[in-house]
Amino acid sequence: MSGRVRLGAVGAGWWATSNHFPIFAAREDVDLVGVCGIGPELEAVREQFGFGMATTDYDELLDQDLDAVVISTPHDLHHPQAVAAIDRGLHVLVEKPVTLHADQGWDLADRVRERGVHFLAPYGWNYKPFIVEAKRLVAAGHLGEIQHVLCHMASPTRGLFAGDTNHIRSLWDSKTSGPEPSTWQSPARGGGYAHGQVTHSSALLFWLSELRASSVMAKVSTGGAAVDLFDAAVITFDGGALGSLSGAATLPDGNPYQVDIRIFGTEGVLLLDTERERVSLHRYDGTRWDLDIEPGAGAYECIVPPNRFIDLIAGASTENNSDAVVAARSVELIDAMLRSAADGGVETTVHGETSVNQKEKTA
Ligand SMILES: NC(=O)c1ccc[n+]([C@@H]2O[C@H](COP(=O)([O-])OP(=O)(O)OC[C@H]3O[C@@H](n4cnc5c(N)ncnc54)[C@H](O)[C@@H]3O)[C@@H](O)[C@H]2O)c1
């Protein structure tokens, strides 16, 4: 498209105001048409970033002349809000987890495909240069057929999920608000570590490996919180690969986030670690790649994804590392993990019916 991208935003809380809005406001090619939220800070947010209007009514926002919508609301609102935007032919950036249930995730993927709009879930690690390089190595086929994976994540997020949510403002601050406890700590609204953080490590695994989970046995524990702080699962993937997943919300503040993914194939092994910045791919034929990575380069940031969303719309990039299919594969795994855990850890099917989108992808 030519001209500026006319953007609307729904959700004007901590994350939108500390990460997304400053990025969009700094771009010459973005017109901040309107913002929708329900908090008392809405007018202050409108003024800070220069949105053309503010409303508490999402339909009124969608009635503006828009190209795209950014959705940064609590988890349980993402699906209906994304559907309403996509059905109007708007491009959408949908925060993680893009939905809470598998059928909703695939519903979004199908609608995105049918309407031909851009959909990006802002998973920051999928855009780190050393991780993009890891993806290139895997996509070149150096692992052979994947037989086993390990997917671990741990975060300094005890406060976010089980205490004073404002503690996270020391990492990403907002002039107007900290995260609402109801967004992160409510079981009914998709709070907890699985939907809040394992969504990142699993989306990275699915993008890197192109695997899809077929069944899972999981247990979670709360450490006394209202939501899961610890997650453990054994996963079987389509094609028979076996995997283990772990998640822990309670690293001490100041510790780097841990995302540790190991993929074992018939021809080689990939080791990827964001905490100590390692990407190694070693093949049985003796070929080895050990990437040179700057210390600190693994720290979490989410600068590229909102920029990439605009670049995709503007035609300046075609690389989407976190599209609707990657996001839906993550949602369906976490949905099944939590159902398995609620049933005492029984083996639970991840996907039954195959969506149109998925059939095309696997054809
Ligand atoms: N990609 C990342 O790295 C990353 C990082 C942090 C948060 N997030 C995600 O961002 C999203 C928002 O998190 P947050 O911490 O900013 O939450 P928050 O509680 O601070 O903000 C939620 C916002 O949604 C608005 N809202 C609530 N109900 C609404 C409704 N019915 N209509 C319109 N607006 C409504 C609130 O007014 C508020 O502005 C979550 O999905 C979270 O997982 C993503």
Side-chain angles (χ1 to χ4, degrees), residues 229-306:
L229 298 187
F230 308 103
D231 307 307
V234 174
I235 306 166
T236 303
F237 296 91
D238 288 357
L242 182 66
S244 67
L245 178 148
S246 84
T250 58
L251 282 175
D253 286 346
N255 274 31
Y257 284 73
Q258 299 172 2
V259 178
D260 189 344
I261 290 180
R262 305 179 187 207
I263 305 180
F264 300 81
T266 49
E267 294 177 31
V269 172
L270 174 86
L271 306 176
L272 183 158
D273 181 353
T274 65
E275 181 198 10
R276 282 170 284 183
E277 288 102 3
R278 167 178 69 169
V279 169
S280 294
L281 195 152
H282 293 183
R283 281 174 52 84
Y284 302 122
D285 66 9
T287 322
R288 298 160 80 102
W289 291 265
D290 294 292
L291 301 191
D292 217 0
I293 307 168
E294 282 278 297
Y300 187 66
E301 63 177 15
C302 193
I303 310 286
V304 176

Side-chain angles (χ1 to χ4, degrees), residues 10-16 36-39 41 72-75 77-78 81 95-97 122 178-180 183-184 200 300 302:
V10 60
W14 162 67
W15 184 240
C36 172
I38 57 168
E41 69 286 354
S72 317
T73 46
H75 305 165
L77 300 180
H78 295 172
Q81 290 173 339
E95 262 305 344
K96 39 64 50 172
E180 284 291 328
T183 301
W184 296 91
H200 281 285
Y300 187 66
C302 193

Side-chain angles (χ1 to χ4, degrees), residues 102-111 113-114 212 324-325 328-329 332 351-363:
D103 55 344
Q104 298 171 330
W106 289 113
D107 175 53
L108 291 189
D110 287 341
R111 286 173 198 265
R113 181 181 153 275
E114 281 156 19
R212 186 180 185 195
V325 170
R329 288 186 188 188
E332 69 179 0
H351 69 90
E353 282 287 291
T354 304
S355 77
V356 178
N357 214 306
Q358 195 59 29
K359 273 189 209 137
E360 290 229 333
K361 186 92 184 170
T362 50

Side-chain angles (χ1 to χ4, degrees), residues 147-225:
Q147 297 178 309
H148 185 68
V149 304
L150 172 149
C151 179
H152 162 75
M153 178 161 189
S155 326
T157 47
R158 184 191 286 270
L160 195 58
F161 294 106
D164 175 7
T165 52
N166 277 298
H167 90 290
I168 199 133
R169 291 173 78 168
S170 62
L171 294 178
W172 288 272
D173 201 9
S174 156
K175 271 191 189 169
T176 40
S177 62
E180 284 291 328
S182 60
T183 301
W184 296 91
Q185 300 178 6
S186 159
R189 307 204 70 181
Y193 197 74
H195 281 307
Q197 295 284 278
V198 171
T199 181
H200 281 285
S201 47
S202 56
L204 177 54
L205 173 70
F206 289 124
W207 176 62
L208 278 175
S209 66
E210 299 191 7
L211 288 170
R212 186 180 185 195
S214 59
S215 75
V216 63
M217 291 180 277
K219 294 235 179 180
V220 304
S221 66
T222 65

